[in-house]
Amino acid sequence: MDAFEKALAEMSEQGSGMWHDVRAGRFTASEIWKLMESGSRLMTEAELKARPKSGPGSKSKYIEDASCLSKTTQTYIRTKVAETLTGHAAEPVFSRATEYGDEMEPFAAQYFTERTGMEFEIVSFVPYTDHAGGSPDRKIKGKNELLEIKCPYNSANQVDYLMLTDQWDLKREYPEYYWQCMANMLFFGADLCHFITYDPRMIEDKHKMTHIKIKPIEEDQQLIITKLGTAVKEKLALLNLLK
């Protein structure tokens, strides 16, 4: 294996040093939820006059506005500016829970195949424009479909996941996972994303895996594109300011 082939192999291995660095400065699917929050702005004179005369909201001078950046979004953008300036992705935060998830992911993928008959392949980071990209956990062989895996460290979380019935439940209860699936489908042009949670400690097979099929929603994917556009504009403005 020559140096170029070795580099490609390392890049395809999720979690490797090169895999992290190729993501540097890019807004990624796993954290795209940080862009989806709305910020707030001062009310206009008309909005101030339209406030309730008493009770909740009667004293507020600010209003939520989807075109404004939230504090979470601003912090995330600055992280991407720092990554661009250093050339390296921010160091991931490790915990026993994340280590457990990484350890169990291959077993979860295999269990998915056993339960559904669908085989998978590992994919590397796929860029989306010059400023974003994603790395779904797996791609379904022979189909334009993705697989996203979560392995809860605490089995009580699996109980919560088992209560989910569809993608709208996921969007309401776990928006970070919903937007991750939606973004990866957008970045890959995929037709479907299989979202699963896996806990082998459950006694009965029916409790070991939650499986929700996530379909792309044009309105939500367009919102991702809009939010990305705003974030990229702010990122480039900051970089230009720091020149």
Side-chain angles (χ1 to χ4, degrees):
M1 178 182 294
D2 61 26
F4 179 71
E5 291 175 331
K6 183 178 180 181
L8 287 179
E10 289 177 352
M11 184 179 295
S12 66
E13 183 180 351
Q14 293 194 26
S16 68
M18 185 170 288
W19 178 81
H20 280 293
D21 287 346
V22 77
R23 296 153 54 98
R26 292 179 179 270
F27 299 103
T28 60
S30 61
E31 294 188 307
I32 209 72
W33 64 270
K34 294 179 180 179
L35 300 183
M36 308 313 295
E37 297 181 356
S38 296
S40 60
R41 59 167 174 78
L42 282 170
M43 291 181 175
T44 63
E45 287 296 325
E47 290 167 339
L48 286 169
K49 291 179 180 179
R51 287 182 307 181
K53 302 303 180 184
S54 61
S58 61
K59 303 296 183 182
S60 177
K61 295 182 180 180
Y62 290 85
I63 188 171
E64 187 176 279
D65 189 329
S67 66
C68 296
L69 302 176
S70 69
K71 289 184 179 179
T72 299
T73 298
Q74 292 178 47
T75 299
Y76 185 41
I77 292 172
R78 280 159 175 72
T79 299
K80 295 303 158 182
V81 169
E83 291 179 352
T84 301
L85 294 174
T86 63
H88 298 286
E91 289 295 326
V93 178
F94 287 105
S95 67
R96 180 54 192 142
T98 57
E99 290 177 348
Y100 175 83
D102 291 341
E103 292 168 1
M104 295 307 301
E105 184 180 298
F107 300 102
Q110 187 58 45
Y111 189 75
F112 171 81
T113 295
E114 293 172 3
R115 287 282 297 271
T116 66
M118 287 184 279
E119 297 184 343
F120 57 81
E121 55 190 5
I122 296 176
V123 293
S124 61
F125 184 82
V126 170
Y128 179 77
T129 71
D130 292 331
H131 302 279
S135 304
D137 291 324
R138 302 290 190 279
K139 183 181 182 299
I140 306 301
K141 282 187 178 180
K143 296 184 178 182
N144 190 27
E145 299 175 2
L146 307 176
L147 174 61
E148 196 62 47
I149 301 168
K150 305 299 176 187
C151 301
Y153 182 60
N154 187 335
S155 290
N157 292 334
Q158 179 70 356
V159 173
D160 289 335
Y161 296 142
L162 289 168
M163 302 295 287
L164 301 173
T165 60
D166 55 30
Q167 70 186 77
W168 309 117
D169 278 352
L170 186 67
K171 184 178 183 180
R172 181 178 59 256
E173 301 297 334
Y174 301 95
E176 66 274 27
Y177 298 156
Y178 174 84
W179 289 114
Q180 179 179 12
C181 294
M182 201 59 56
N184 269 327
M185 285 189 290
L186 170 65
F187 299 164
F188 278 73
D191 300 324
L192 192 73
C193 182
H194 300 268
F195 175 83
I196 70 168
T197 69
Y198 175 68
D199 188 344
R201 295 162 295 192
M202 292 291 176
I203 297 173
E204 295 189 32
D205 285 345
K206 65 180 180 179
H207 296 148
K208 291 181 179 179
M209 186 178 80
T210 298
H211 180 193
I212 297 175
K213 296 179 181 179
I214 311 295
K215 297 180 180 179
I217 304 300
E218 184 177 355
E219 180 181 356
D220 285 347
Q221 290 189 329
Q222 185 57 53
L223 182 59
I224 291 174
I225 293 172
T226 300
K227 293 285 190 178
L228 271 174
T230 302
V232 169
K233 183 178 179 180
E234 177 69 9
K235 171 190 157 187
L236 293 177
L238 289 172
L239 287 170
N240 186 60
L241 181 65
L242 294 171
K243 281 185 178 180

